[in-house]
Amino acid sequence: MRVLAIVLAGGEGKRLMPLTADRAKPAVPFGGIYRLVDFVLSNLANGQYWQIVVLTQYKNHSLDRHISRTWRLSSMLGNYVTPVPAQQRLGPHWFSGSADALFQNLNLIYDEMPDHVIVFGADHIYRMDPRQMVTQHIDSGAEVTVAAIRQPLTLADQFGVIETDPTGRRITAFREKPKDAVGLPDAPDQVYASMGNYVFKTQAMLDALREDALDPTSKHDLGGDIIPMMVKSGSAEVYDFADNVVPGSTERDRGYWRDVGTLDAYYEAHMDLISAHPVFNLYNNQWPIYTGHDPLPPAKFVHNDGDRVGRAIDSLVSAGVIVSGGLAERSILSPGVVLHSHAQVEDSVLMGNVKVGRGAIVRKAIVDKNVIIPDGARIGFDLEYDRSRFAVTRNGIVVIGKNEIVER
């Protein structure tokens, strides 16, 4: 069976502003050294699906550059990870939805003519062995299989909800944020929430995309239009993410999946990384998350003079970091971060090349690349003042955009 993987990476990510002011959502840094897109690409690569097309659109330069520099596979063996920006092959208009993105790139499918097509999103944090989902899809004979994660029934109005027949496999309805969702046959207090990951029989997908393209009332969305269309024909099945077993996973992080669509969710996903027994374990070498690395020296901790001690506690510290008489607690320090003497960083995410001046304190913040926190500055103490110059989330996280100027 020939399988082509398509990653939908054209998301604008408005709810992640200002982190997406200069980049597409899948290119947003995560966990110190990664980009969001690295998680789906790592899952596909670990699953030995090595023909991968990444559809990009919104502010795609840094995303295309990251994929081109990092994700190089052996072309001699017919393997590739290729970023494909919106080409306007069917006229002078951009993608109007996820289904339209596929329809405008049917040539990519015709070039490979696979038996099945994997279509995954690019901006979720999780580990998944896609082979297990593809195996169920092929064995079932379904025309489309939709990956789903179990969520409490009380949260059904926050997700695209999948309803099934009594077997729990055949999809009978696919509804967006329903107020009257019905619990699962084997768990009345739970629902299936769509993960935005699909496996299609190629011909069935082509037929559905062509029919959808001719419908002037359609929003041309996979979850909103294509899947309901295929549900009506009785050819859609659900894949329960709880059944997916990734090598090296633990009971604590098995089944972990985060949609980092908001700044608060993005922050909380980072906090899941830093405990002694993390909720999401980056240290699973049997299913690694791949990314590119700049040629940076090891992290360095210097000074041990009274209260001027360079140290980091319950934190992730990347290459090129210098903690010079400062303190990081429960934080993520990305490559090139510098903490000067008596600086304190608490419960924060600092991206590449952030500099924290002498005596400055950063608390509960996300600080994007190249920001300089001046000596003695206070971030995260007076939220009203912070709100007058930066973004502040509903949960009180201060977010400073890339290259922003910070004054004391």
Side-chain angles (χ1 to χ4, degrees), residues 85-407:
Q87 303 177 78
Q88 299 188 345
R89 295 176 65 92
L90 303 179
H93 58 272
W94 302 111
F95 301 149
S96 59
S98 52
D100 184 53
L102 295 174
F103 183 71
Q104 289 197 43
N105 287 282
L106 291 184
N107 64 296
L108 303 174
I109 300 172
Y110 293 140
D111 287 347
E112 293 291 344
M113 286 311 297
D115 300 292
H116 302 276
V117 180
I118 297 172
V119 181
F120 279 16
D123 45 21
H124 299 133
I125 306 301
Y126 67 114
R127 278 190 176 90
M128 176 183 184
D129 184 347
R131 293 171 296 191
Q132 296 168 31
M133 180 178 176
V134 172
T135 297
Q136 178 189 303
H137 169 76
I138 293 173
D139 291 346
S140 72
E143 294 186 343
V144 63
T145 300
V146 184
I149 187 167
R150 292 171 180 252
Q151 295 289 337
L153 178 63
T154 55
L155 300 180
D157 60 357
Q158 299 181 25
F159 300 100
V161 171
I162 297 167
E163 297 177 2
T164 69
D165 66 7
T167 69
R169 290 277 293 270
R170 187 70 59 174
I171 300 176
T172 57
F174 189 101
R175 298 195 291 160
E176 288 292 336
K177 301 179 179 180
K179 301 289 186 182
D180 58 346
V182 178
L184 298 175
D186 64 343
D189 60 338
Q190 296 179 342
V191 295
Y192 278 140
S194 173
M195 297 170 61
N197 290 354
Y198 313 96
V199 181
F200 293 90
K201 281 186 178 178
T202 300
Q203 191 58 53
M205 186 183 79
L206 295 176
D207 293 343
L209 290 175
R210 292 191 191 102
E211 182 178 343
D212 176 74
L214 296 174
D215 183 356
T217 66
S218 174
K219 295 181 179 179
H220 309 300
D221 181 71
L222 281 176
D225 300 289
I226 299 296
I227 302 304
M229 179 196 306
M230 300 180 79
V231 167
K232 289 180 181 178
S233 68
S235 58
E237 284 216 353
V238 66
Y239 175 75
D240 189 346
F241 184 53
D243 295 334
N244 198 262
V245 180
V246 172
S249 64
T250 66
E251 285 302 314
R252 184 165 172 79
D253 72 351
R254 180 179 171 184
Y256 180 94
W257 180 83
R258 275 277 196 179
D259 180 353
V260 290
T262 67
L263 291 168
D264 282 322
Y266 176 83
Y267 175 84
E268 290 162 6
H270 274 94
M271 295 302 104
D272 287 342
L273 304 176
I274 57 177
S275 64
H277 299 287
V279 182
F280 184 74
N281 181 21
L282 291 173
Y283 298 87
N284 179 356
N285 294 326
Q286 295 183 52
W287 198 270
I289 306 301
Y290 298 103
T291 192
H293 299 278
D294 291 328
L296 294 170
K300 180 169 68 171
F301 300 80
V302 295
H303 297 306
N304 184 14
D305 181 16
D307 62 351
R308 186 183 178 216
V309 180
R311 54 206 167 111
I313 302 168
D314 293 333
S315 299
L316 297 181
V317 181
S318 306
V321 169
I322 300 176
V323 182
S324 178
L327 169 65
E329 294 185 274
R330 300 175 302 280
S331 295
I332 287 84
L333 307 184
S334 302
V337 165
V338 176
L339 271 58
H340 289 284
S341 293
H342 304 292
Q344 296 181 41
V345 176
E346 304 170 4
D347 304 296
S348 294
V349 179
L350 305 190
M351 297 190 195
N353 299 315
V354 169
K355 307 295 189 283
V356 183
R358 293 177 64 92
I361 303 178
V362 179
R363 178 178 295 170
K364 292 190 69 175
I366 301 168
V367 185
D368 207 338
K369 289 184 175 182
N370 306 325
V371 171
I372 298 176
I373 308 294
D375 295 351
R378 297 289 187 271
I379 305 295
F381 288 83
D382 184 343
L383 293 185
E384 287 306 311
Y385 177 55
D386 288 335
R387 193 173 282 111
S388 69
R389 50 190 183 149
F390 311 122
V392 178
T393 73
R394 181 179 300 176
N395 292 345
I397 309 303
V398 180
V399 186
I400 304 176
K402 184 178 178 181
N403 298 317
E404 281 199 46
I405 304 299
V406 178
E407 298 178 355

